[in-house]
Amino acid sequence: MRYLVALEETAHFREAAESCGISQPSLSVQIKTLEEALGLTLVERGRGPVRLTLAGREVSARSRDILDATQGILDLSVTLKSGLGGTIRLGTSATLGPYLMPHVVGDLHKSHPDLRLYIREAAPRELLRELNDGVHDLILTQLPVSGAALTTSRLFREPLSVALPADHPLTEKAMLDGPDLTDQTILSLSPSYTLHDQISALCVETGATLSRDYEGTSLDALRQMVAMGMGATFLPALYVKSEIEGRAQDVIVRPFRGRRFSRSIGLVWRSTTGASAAYGRLAQLIRETAGRFPDLVIEG
């Protein structure tokens, strides 16, 4: 196909052969072999400039597309070996992705314009199942994640603060600790979220009551229930910065235990993938973006 395209461009067997770095007889043989394989006459043979037949022009046009695509694969292989490129399918938790990924995507678009992220949100336990099923190349989620065939790259720890109704007595305190939560009603996400287990364990430790009447399906739902006076909850720092700071104060946020209560966030992928080096590089780029948020503690 490359020889046929060269022949169309030069309209001369010798010049086409020279441009391809082979002898003229070799090029002629290759063109003849292509004609025999297709059962078509591709070149008008006679005196004067070489012309392609109608079939030759059509085959040449399609050959250009194939050659361009082939070169694209070669270029992509170089990019993937040396860094990040192509399309990466990333699964992320709905309690994290909307508040971090817009910043990450903006940075990646500037530093790696050939990289495309296809992002899908789901609950953490669903993300893990879909990762093992091959739906995602990697997932951004709360840790820990179990699985002998998985590789985890820790990114950062995200503090969890107590969100209270605006008229709650505890809003008078600048910082809250375990005893402050005793007998308090704590709202949480459903058990499909890793955050639920973490908050449930804290309630047992502090003597707080984990509400079973209604379990939220989003951080926004939790915030709205808190505003209605149904209880208190824990909200991650990125959500607080995005959705609460600088807005109407129907919910007041207070740090808990000096911001020592936090969740760990990481990237997880299948250990059998051939792209561990690229995913490790992506993890570092996410850390660099996360480093712009003073509340986050960078890991890894």
Side-chain angles (χ1 to χ4, degrees):
M1 289 186 290
R2 184 160 56 89
Y3 299 152
L4 180 66
V5 169
L7 189 58
E8 183 180 34
E9 291 176 347
T10 62
H12 197 286
F13 273 95
R14 180 178 57 79
E15 293 179 8
E18 290 176 353
S19 69
C20 294
I22 62 173
S23 66
Q24 179 177 333
S26 295
L27 184 136
S28 298
V29 169
Q30 293 297 321
I31 295 295
K32 188 64 176 178
T33 299
L34 180 59
E35 289 179 319
E36 292 174 352
L38 298 176
L40 296 170
T41 299
L42 304 178
V43 180
E44 294 181 15
R45 289 173 173 81
R47 295 182 178 179
V50 175
R51 299 183 180 88
L52 300 191
T53 64
L54 172 61
R57 295 194 300 272
E58 292 297 324
V59 172
S60 179
R62 286 161 175 77
S63 296
R64 291 176 187 273
D65 293 337
I66 293 171
L67 291 170
D68 287 344
T70 302
Q71 186 60 49
I73 293 173
L74 294 174
D75 294 342
L76 176 60
S77 69
V78 173
T79 300
L80 291 176
K81 288 176 182 177
S82 60
L84 290 169
T87 300
I88 294 178
R89 300 170 300 169
L90 174 68
T92 181
S93 168
T95 67
L96 175 63
Y99 316 110
L100 175 65
M101 291 313 298
H103 303 280
V104 172
V105 170
D107 289 347
L108 287 174
H109 181 70
K110 296 175 183 177
S111 61
H112 294 76
D114 293 331
L115 174 65
R116 294 177 298 279
L117 283 180
Y118 177 80
I119 302 172
R120 181 181 180 275
E121 294 179 6
R125 288 177 174 80
E126 183 180 353
L127 286 175
L128 182 57
R129 176 182 59 79
E130 291 177 340
L131 176 65
N132 287 319
D133 290 345
V135 176
H136 309 299
D137 295 316
L138 68 171
I139 59 175
L140 177 69
T141 188
Q142 182 172 344
L143 304 177
V145 171
S146 60
L150 299 176
T151 297
T152 297
S153 180
R154 292 183 174 274
L155 300 175
F156 56 83
R157 293 199 312 276
E158 182 182 18
L160 298 168
S161 299
V162 183
L164 301 159
D167 58 354
H168 198 287
L170 288 177
T171 60
E172 297 179 3
K173 302 189 67 172
M175 183 183 303
L176 303 182
D177 208 332
D180 296 315
L181 299 185
T182 302
D183 297 328
Q184 295 291 328
T185 298
I186 303 298
L187 306 168
S188 178
L189 295 171
S190 72
S192 61
Y193 290 86
T194 310
L195 193 57
H196 172 90
D197 297 338
Q198 191 174 7
I199 293 176
S200 178
L202 183 68
C203 288
V204 172
E205 176 190 337
T206 61
T209 301
L210 184 65
S211 175
R212 304 291 183 182
D213 296 335
Y214 184 84
E215 293 175 331
T217 57
S218 70
L219 297 178
D220 281 339
L222 289 181
R223 178 177 59 81
Q224 291 166 8
M225 287 189 288
V226 169
M228 294 171 61
M230 296 176 62
T233 193
F234 285 88
L235 295 176
L238 288 172
Y239 176 84
V240 171
K241 183 173 183 60
S242 173
E243 304 300 319
I244 295 182
E245 288 184 1
R247 301 196 177 195
Q249 295 297 301
D250 56 347
V251 171
I252 304 299
V253 176
R254 291 290 181 262
F256 182 71
R257 290 181 175 172
R259 294 189 175 270
R260 294 193 303 273
F261 184 55
S262 62
R263 63 175 182 173
S264 184
I265 303 299
L267 272 183
V268 183
W269 61 86
R270 296 180 300 278
S271 301
T272 54
T273 182
S276 288
Y279 296 163
R281 174 59 179 154
L282 178 60
Q284 180 56 31
L285 292 171
I286 294 177
R287 290 188 195 99
E288 292 172 4
T289 297
R292 300 208 303 265
F293 297 90
D295 291 335
L296 304 184
V297 179
I298 306 303
E299 296 185 311

